[in-house]
Amino acid sequence: MKLLILMVKKISLLMHLLGGFFLVAMMLITLLDVVTRGLFGLTEGRLDITVTGGIELVKYSLLFSILFILPYSVNRSQVVVDLFTNHLSERKKAFLEAIYFVGFALLGIAMSYGFYHLVGEAAMSYETTQDLLIPMTYFYAIASFATFMLAISAIVSTFELITHKKSVL
């Protein structure tokens, strides 16, 4: 069980780093798109080096950055308002946190299930992105995996909370 938990945590950490890469890529694509559109406007259309599919690249970079960062961050980013919880015992606080994790697990399972079915639908209809014509099956499959990892990470966090065992990662 420890090996499985460690593997989930390492995959989540790798996904977290990839999410950071997608976040930086999204900012650079946006910057490049703004600069090239500005040059297009300044030259009154004579210099057209605008980024084809820039909006799509930003849109999917945002999707992947959020979905890849969530599994690692699910148990690290709780904002607890002491005003509401300071009178609760540690056991009750842990119970509330476990409910939170179970909610994230259910959300991850539902989203993963939805994206999994979209993979099949996109494959049958040959759905592609509008500008770059990339098959949507790739995006849906990656999103399905990322949301599945969110569910697994939330389940692992719940297990660790219930058993009072935290791993190093």
Side-chain angles (χ1 to χ4, degrees):
M1 189 66 167
K2 286 182 183 181
L3 180 63
L4 181 65
I5 290 173
L6 184 63
M7 191 170 69
V8 167
K9 289 186 175 279
K10 287 198 182 253
I11 291 171
S12 296
L13 178 61
L14 177 64
M15 289 174 65
H16 188 75
L17 296 173
L18 280 171
F21 167 78
F22 280 114
L23 186 63
V24 171
M26 181 180 63
M27 292 186 303
L28 292 176
I29 292 166
T30 302
L31 178 66
L32 182 66
D33 196 33
V34 168
V35 168
T36 57
R37 286 177 189 259
L39 287 173
F40 182 79
L42 287 174
T43 62
E44 297 176 352
R46 287 188 290 274
L47 182 62
D48 185 10
I49 54 172
T50 55
V51 179
T52 303
I55 293 172
E56 286 179 0
L57 292 172
V58 168
K59 179 170 64 171
Y60 293 114
S61 293
L62 176 62
L63 173 72
F64 290 151
S65 67
I66 291 171
L67 292 181
F68 282 12
I69 288 172
L70 275 175
Y72 183 76
S73 302
V74 72
N75 68 343
R76 291 170 177 80
S77 59
Q78 274 58 284
V79 175
V80 178
V81 180
D82 287 336
L83 178 67
F84 300 117
T85 60
N86 66 352
H87 67 281
L88 296 176
S89 66
E90 290 301 316
R91 183 179 171 139
K92 287 181 182 175
K93 288 180 188 178
F95 179 74
L96 287 175
E97 195 171 3
I99 290 173
Y100 173 81
F101 290 147
V102 169
F104 263 104
L106 293 174
L107 175 71
I109 289 168
M111 289 176 66
S112 183
Y113 179 79
F115 280 123
Y116 177 76
H117 282 288
L118 285 174
V119 170
E121 290 177 19
M124 287 192 297
S125 66
Y126 302 107
E127 183 181 0
T128 62
T129 60
Q130 184 174 345
D131 295 332
L132 299 175
L133 301 177
I134 301 170
M136 290 298 295
T137 53
Y138 301 140
F139 295 108
Y140 293 144
I142 293 169
S144 180
F145 170 75
T147 52
F148 178 74
M149 284 303 299
L150 170 62
I152 297 298
S153 181
I155 290 168
V156 165
S157 296
T158 304
F159 175 77
E160 287 180 334
L161 187 66
I162 291 171
T163 61
H164 306 290
K165 295 179 182 176
K166 289 263 185 186
S167 65
V168 178
L169 291 177

